[in-house]
Amino acid sequence: MSSSTEPLGPSRQPTLGADMRRDLSDAPFLLAARGRQPSRLPVWFMRQAGRSLPEYRRLRTGVDMLSACFDADLLTEITLQPVRRHGVDAAILFSDIVVPLRAAGVDVEISSGVGPVVRSPVRTASDVDQLPELHTEQVDAVAGGVRALVGELGGTPLIGFAGAPFTLASYLVEGGPSKNHERTKALMHAEPELWHRLMDRLATMAVTFLRAQLAAGADAVQLFDSWAGALSERDYRRFVLPHSSKVFAGIADAGVPGIHFGVGTGELLPAMREAGADVVGVDWRVPLDEAARRMSAGGRDAPVVQGNLDPALLLASWPVVEDEVHRIVEEGRAAAGHVFNLGHGVLPDADPTVLTRIVELVHGLRPGPTGR
Ligand code: CP3
């Protein structure tokens, strides 16, 4: 049934086998993510590849954010910078959640100090129907960067990522960052059928973007639903969970660990785990032992957690940071595994030398759950 005019759909997406990935079976990050015993407690930082690093700011001079994301050499170098500097246990691809939208042809910019800005917000049925599909070859530059990275990273795993359908929908519907997500919530309740159509398209786009990264060799993925915490559990389950589940199901054949993260999601943790993640990221508002308790309620297995130092505390004195790291690591022992991280991204004003000290401190602490 194929013809030259047929659009490339999910059926044409790359197949993903374990044979296309490096064998990193001893990597502490991958072991912990699978609930197995790592040789040391793994640590990486969300937004480690970015503005807190002077070497990043130098490279980005005169290059706008999204251009950098489509330059394979530049994104490779920026991804490697924090790995070299901090000795973290995983690299995270330098990209952005709006990269697949831009690649597909949506007019979106990242405005410095603001975030993603969409020129024509998506609010009507015709807006949704006109949202372009993402084709794998439109993110060839990203895949090229991933291939170069897995060649250069040695034993360090590379985390690929995508924005979850809800967080992307919020930027598209609001037209930019939003405090209350009011147009987004109004749309999901007033026009549920249209809402689900939009979310389905964004889920397909996330799957295409993640599969391109996985086919190029990414070792794990994180699905960022940064703003899901704005929703009640009831609305999350009805309007969001089926679509985030579709994303995890769409990459399950790769067999790599999946992480799911959002901010302010204390009430949503069990539901977010149900989307199909192996690891659930927790922000600083809920202690990790309490997060593990919530996610194992009803007789479920203990989860693997990631988190959750408050990024603001990177600006406090070292003894404060040290105490918090010890507390978090102890609380993390209630889970089936713990990947140390911040509760959200590194803030631009954070002192990178503090991040390096945190890595050294975490690596010196005993890994694994209580009693192992
Ligand atoms: O180190 C890493 O984590 C990898 C790179 C990464 C970026 N964006 C680079 C970036 C990742 C994983 C993201 C994801 C992302 N982008 C999310 C989810 C993660 C989260 O923080 O919740 C979101 C919500 C976005 C949208 C976005 N892009 C925002 C809100 C901003 C900040 C705007 C600002 O200037 O305050 C961006 C821009 C952005 N993405 C920067 C970086 C390094 C800063 C751009 C710059 O250097 O000027």
Side-chain angles (χ1 to χ4, degrees), residues 151-221:
E152 297 216 16
L153 275 166
T156 306
L158 174 67
I159 305 172
F161 74 90
F166 172 75
T167 292
L168 286 178
S170 171
Y171 283 114
L172 286 174
V173 175
E174 306 292 339
S178 168
K179 190 157 164 263
N180 300 316
H181 309 274
E182 54 266 64
R183 288 191 170 86
T184 313
K185 291 181 180 185
L187 178 69
M188 66 170 63
H189 281 273
E191 297 185 73
E193 199 250 332
L194 180 59
W195 170 259
H196 285 296
R197 214 155 80 224
L198 170 61
M199 291 288 277
D200 189 63
R201 285 182 169 235
L202 294 173
T204 302
M205 190 177 272
V207 169
T208 303
F209 188 44
L210 290 173
R211 290 187 76 83
Q213 296 170 49
L214 289 164
D219 305 289
V221 297

Side-chain angles (χ1 to χ4, degrees), residues 47-49 51 56 60 65 92 95-96 113 224 226 344:
R47 298 290 183 94
Q48 65 191 14
R51 287 177 304 183
Y56 165 78
R60 274 285 319 283
M65 175 63 196
I92 179 149
S95 190
D96 196 84
F224 282 96
S226 301
H344 196 186

